[in-house]
Amino acid sequence: MAFLYAVTSGEQPFEKIIRNIKSIDSYVELIQIREKKKTAQELNDLIDSILKQGISPAKLIVNDRVDIALVRGLRGVHLAYHSLSVKDVKKAFPHLYVGKSVHSLEEAKQSEQDGADYVVFGHLYETSSKKGKKPHGVQELAQIVEELSIPVIGIGGINISNIGEVKETNAAGIALMSGLFQTEAPGETARACWNLLNGSEHCERV
Amino acid sequence: MAFLYAVTSGEQPFEKIIRNIKSIDSYVELIQIREKKKTAQELNDLIDSILKQGISPAKLIVNDRVDIALVRGLRGVHLAYHSLSVKDVKKAFPHLYVGKSVHSLEEAKQSEQDGADYVVFGHLYETSSKKGKKPHGVQELAQIVEELSIPVIGIGGINISNIGEVKETNAAGIALMSGLFQTEAPGETARACWNLLNGSEHCERV
């Protein structure tokens, strides 16, 4: 059963991010705070506010900043190509849950070998944030899912209309960014996606 | 006896930074790697190269990125207004040497109270990086030195012509950035400054 993995867009004001996260909370397994333009202090303040809303730190993953994940006691960190390496981070902080963005089977295998706890593969579909770049498609995702032992999460252009197709790859998770946060009611979208993934009406999890 | 605290300018190419640091190494007590535009990976690679040149990690302080200081086993981290707070960092990593930039006696006292291991106060003189902003001057530095128990380092526009005046404030350290790295031969400048601070010809320290 695939889970929802929400990724913030880096384009919304502070208050809107917090409101949106609160509205999707019960439908998502993990939330990646991806606010690249924010300073460490701004990012820390944002995460502090999110935690004060009752969102579990065990659900939060921060982009790039290992130090903020550690200081705020979050579940983990998501590393991109410009970040510290998976190897270095896992060696220094073995308890930290570490994800990595990958764009090929080879990169995915390497990340698994380096000790990543999960990988995010994409982009699967055309998306406004990757304009002009050819999407990888779900078949490549299905192959990576088959060859890796760690969870593989699909990302890029996923929305309510194609989420079923991504589910069929047996990916561990389905990442939503603009398809979630740029919709009119992210809470309603998350609920609809959750229902599509789980085939039944969502009940509040405890 | 005041020591030299070198701060990289963020404007030099990779190879030049490494060459300059190597040339000043035996005259400086601490080196702050302040390369704000670099990604975590670039910063990590730079520090890795510096360490491979034989520079001691016990001499290196990285700006803002607590995670890189931890992963590379450096002496410490220097925090600015946009960084994580001194309190949060010292609470999570008590062993890490933590410095803070301050611009008034009040800020300096607060940082000391928050657990900072040292503060950097400035700017003391007019400097190209702080154009149009009135310098604080050495008298304010002398007052902060007197009122704080932790080391206070003076920064901003210090060079060979005014370093003696800064020394007279009894500051623990003298920070040099453009006055060191933008001179023709940083190694020679560092040696000259060292001699001015120590009043005798420099002998290689072991």
Side-chain angles (χ1 to χ4, degrees):
Chain A
M1 190 175 86
F3 62 79
L4 290 177
Y5 179 99
V7 183
T8 70
S9 67
E11 285 162 11
Q12 295 185 327
F14 210 93
E15 292 72 22
K16 195 165 186 183
I17 298 171
I18 297 168
R19 200 165 60 239
N20 283 343
I21 286 179
K22 206 165 157 60
S23 73
I24 62 166
D25 181 35
S26 70
Y27 306 105
V28 298
E29 193 77 15
L30 294 167
I31 302 164
Q32 187 197 134
I33 307 298
R34 187 173 179 274
E35 301 290 321
K36 293 177 162 192
K37 290 173 193 157
K38 290 200 163 47
T39 66
Q41 190 185 70
E42 288 166 341
L43 208 45
N44 179 69
D45 288 349
L46 172 63
I47 289 169
D48 210 40
S49 299
I50 292 169
L51 293 172
K52 279 182 183 141
Q53 289 290 317
I55 310 297
S56 167
K59 195 177 261 189
L60 294 176
I61 308 267
V62 69
N63 198 55
D64 188 58
R65 296 289 309 224
V66 181
D67 42 7
I68 293 176
L70 294 166
V71 162
R72 288 276 75 84
L74 307 185
R75 172 74 171 275
V77 67
H78 187 81
L79 303 174
Y81 74 95
H82 58 77
S83 300
L84 284 166
S85 73
V86 171
K87 260 189 187 170
D88 278 345
V89 175
K90 286 302 286 189
K91 189 180 167 194
F93 312 106
H95 71 284
L96 204 65
Y97 195 62
V98 174
K100 173 84 180 175
S101 289
V102 297
H103 306 92
S104 68
L105 173 61
E106 199 186 349
E107 276 181 33
K109 282 183 169 173
Q110 186 61 55
S111 295
E112 181 176 55
Q113 204 177 309
D114 290 345
D117 296 294
Y118 71 94
V119 293
V120 175
F121 173 75
H123 56 295
L124 299 181
Y125 301 100
E126 286 211 12
T127 165
S128 56
S129 62
K130 302 274 181 187
K131 268 221 168 85
K133 286 188 180 174
K134 200 173 169 280
H136 289 277
V138 287
Q139 282 196 320
E140 204 175 332
L141 172 62
Q143 196 197 348
I144 294 174
V145 169
E146 200 168 308
E147 300 218 17
L148 262 67
S149 307
I150 57 174
V152 179
I153 297 168
I155 197 169
I158 304 174
N159 56 46
I160 208 135
S161 72
N162 57 28
I163 198 165
E165 196 177 65
V166 185
K167 181 192 173 188
E168 284 171 18
T169 64
N170 289 319
I174 311 276
L176 296 171
M177 189 159 74
S178 58
L180 181 63
F181 290 116
Q182 276 170 31
T183 61
E184 280 206 5
E188 284 306 299
T189 307
R191 189 166 68 95
C193 289
W194 195 96
N195 287 340
L196 284 167
L197 289 179
N198 294 280
S200 65
E201 193 57 28
H202 173 263
C203 301
E204 201 74 18
R205 283 175 289 174
V206 282
Chain B
M1 190 175 83
F3 62 80
L4 290 177
Y5 180 98
V7 183
T8 69
S9 67
E11 285 163 10
Q12 295 185 326
F14 210 93
E15 294 71 26
K16 195 165 184 182
I17 298 170
I18 297 168
R19 199 165 61 240
N20 283 343
I21 285 179
K22 206 165 157 61
S23 74
I24 62 167
D25 181 35
S26 70
Y27 306 105
V28 298
E29 194 77 13
L30 294 167
I31 303 165
Q32 187 197 134
I33 308 298
R34 185 172 179 275
E35 300 290 320
K36 293 178 163 190
K37 289 174 194 157
K38 290 201 164 47
T39 65
Q41 189 184 70
E42 288 167 340
L43 207 44
N44 180 68
D45 289 349
L46 172 63
I47 289 168
D48 211 39
S49 299
I50 292 169
L51 293 172
K52 279 182 183 140
Q53 289 289 317
I55 310 297
S56 168
K59 194 177 264 189
L60 293 176
I61 308 268
V62 68
N63 198 54
D64 187 57
R65 296 289 308 223
V66 180
D67 42 7
I68 294 176
L70 293 166
V71 162
R72 289 276 75 84
L74 307 185
R75 172 75 173 273
V77 68
H78 187 81
L79 304 174
Y81 74 95
H82 59 77
S83 301
L84 284 166
S85 73
V86 171
K87 260 189 187 168
D88 278 345
V89 176
K90 285 303 286 189
K91 188 180 167 194
F93 312 106
H95 71 285
L96 204 65
Y97 195 63
V98 174
K100 174 84 181 177
S101 289
V102 297
H103 305 92
S104 67
L105 173 61
E106 198 186 350
E107 277 181 32
K109 280 183 170 173
Q110 185 61 52
S111 296
E112 181 176 57
Q113 204 177 310
D114 289 344
D117 296 294
Y118 71 94
V119 293
V120 175
F121 173 75
H123 57 292
L124 299 181
Y125 301 98
E126 286 210 13
T127 166
S128 55
S129 63
K130 302 273 180 189
K131 267 217 169 91
K133 287 188 180 175
K134 200 173 170 278
H136 289 277
V138 287
Q139 282 195 321
E140 204 174 334
L141 172 63
Q143 196 197 348
I144 293 174
V145 169
E146 201 169 305
E147 300 219 17
L148 261 66
S149 306
I150 57 174
V152 179
I153 297 168
I155 197 168
I158 305 174
N159 56 43
I160 207 133
S161 72
N162 56 29
I163 197 166
E165 196 176 66
V166 185
K167 182 191 172 187
E168 284 171 19
T169 63
N170 289 320
I174 311 278
L176 295 170
M177 188 160 73
S178 58
L180 181 62
F181 290 115
Q182 277 171 30
T183 61
E184 281 205 5
E188 285 306 299
T189 307
R191 189 167 69 95
C193 289
W194 195 96
N195 287 340
L196 284 167
L197 290 178
N198 294 280
S200 65
E201 192 59 27
H202 173 261
C203 301
E204 202 73 20
R205 282 175 289 173
V206 284

